[in-house]
Amino acid sequence: MPQPRLANAIMYIDAGYLWLTLQEMTGKTHRQQLGIDQVALLRLIGELALRHHPEVRVLRQMWYDAEPENGSPVMHHQLIRDTPGACLRTGTLRFSDGVARQKGVDTRLVADVVAASVRGITSEVIILAGDGDLVRLWRSRPTKASGRASGTSPRGHGVAPTKRRC
């Protein structure tokens, strides 16, 4: 009997949300203190998607994060860029009164989801994010739209040109 055709999926990952969640779980105050193998994390997230959504084929992982306004390199960003099947899209990290705020990250993620849907690039969407706005957006989509949303606790997060076109 022929195998059913798998639906194409793209994963959209809010890296700021993911890192902040891992920091809270471990009690670390900075990403750099986590000591996580970024390539292994990308692989693990892909495996978890396959385990929870076996009816889809993940075409790529789209990662969204902020880069400092001053252009300082971020080590784990380069690792994402260098990993086959992964793509990094960035916003800007701005500091105001000593507090870092992301700008443009969520907007870019939503714009990419909409663009992929309109172009018919994917029939399924897997989102790993915790931003309350993204959750409300997902719940308000037309009922005929296909896709899945993965995410948990709403949390606020925040476009600069990308270094590599995805």
Side-chain angles (χ1 to χ4, degrees), residues 12-23 31 34 38 41 45 62-66 76-77 80 87-89 102 105-106 109 128-130 157:
Y12 296 88
I13 301 159
D14 181 341
Y17 165 74
L18 179 61
W19 290 120
L20 190 56
T21 300
L22 292 171
Q23 285 172 230
R31 293 180 185 189
L34 291 170
Q38 182 72 42
L41 179 62
I45 288 174
M62 301 291 293
W63 285 70
Y64 296 81
D65 203 5
H76 62 270
H77 285 176
I80 294 170
C87 181
L88 177 69
R89 306 271 283 157
Q102 291 187 1
V105 175
D106 295 338
L109 189 154
L128 177 59
H157 294 331

Side-chain angles (χ1 to χ4, degrees), residues 96-166:
S96 175
D97 297 324
V99 177
R101 302 211 188 285
Q102 291 187 1
K103 296 295 178 193
V105 175
D106 295 338
T107 303
R108 178 158 275 175
L109 189 154
V110 170
D112 287 352
V113 169
V114 170
S117 298
V118 168
R119 292 183 187 134
I121 294 170
T122 184
S123 58
E124 301 288 335
V125 170
I126 301 170
I127 299 174
L128 177 59
D131 189 300
D133 292 338
L134 292 176
V135 173
R136 282 191 294 283
L137 169 74
W138 189 259
R139 289 186 179 145
S140 69
R141 77 191 189 285
T143 55
K144 290 185 179 183
S146 64
R148 302 184 196 318
S150 300
T152 53
S153 62
R155 178 176 315 166
H157 294 331
V159 183
T162 60
K163 302 244 192 258
R164 176 178 67 135
R165 183 82 182 135
C166 299

Side-chain angles (χ1 to χ4, degrees), residues 3-108:
Q3 291 285 342
R5 185 173 173 168
L6 298 177
N8 289 332
I10 297 176
M11 293 186 70
Y12 296 88
I13 301 159
D14 181 341
Y17 165 74
L18 179 61
W19 290 120
L20 190 56
T21 300
L22 292 171
Q23 285 172 230
E24 289 174 357
M25 291 172 60
T26 61
K28 305 292 184 187
T29 56
H30 299 287
R31 293 180 185 189
Q32 296 81 1
Q33 295 173 323
L34 291 170
I36 291 178
D37 179 339
Q38 182 72 42
V39 176
L41 179 62
L42 271 81
R43 192 174 312 121
L44 175 64
I45 288 174
E47 290 169 5
L48 288 172
L50 290 174
R51 185 177 311 150
H52 291 283
H53 305 290
E55 69 284 1
V56 300
R57 179 182 63 206
V58 176
L59 299 176
R60 76 179 71 90
Q61 292 181 21
M62 301 291 293
W63 285 70
Y64 296 81
D65 203 5
E67 290 188 311
E69 282 184 300
N70 65 9
S72 321
V74 179
M75 175 71 158
H76 62 270
H77 285 176
Q78 192 57 48
L79 292 171
I80 294 170
R81 288 183 180 105
D82 293 343
T83 302
C87 181
L88 177 69
R89 306 271 283 157
T90 59
T92 303
L93 186 63
R94 295 194 176 129
F95 290 88
S96 175
D97 297 324
V99 177
R101 302 211 188 285
Q102 291 187 1
K103 296 295 178 193
V105 175
D106 295 338
T107 303
R108 178 158 275 175

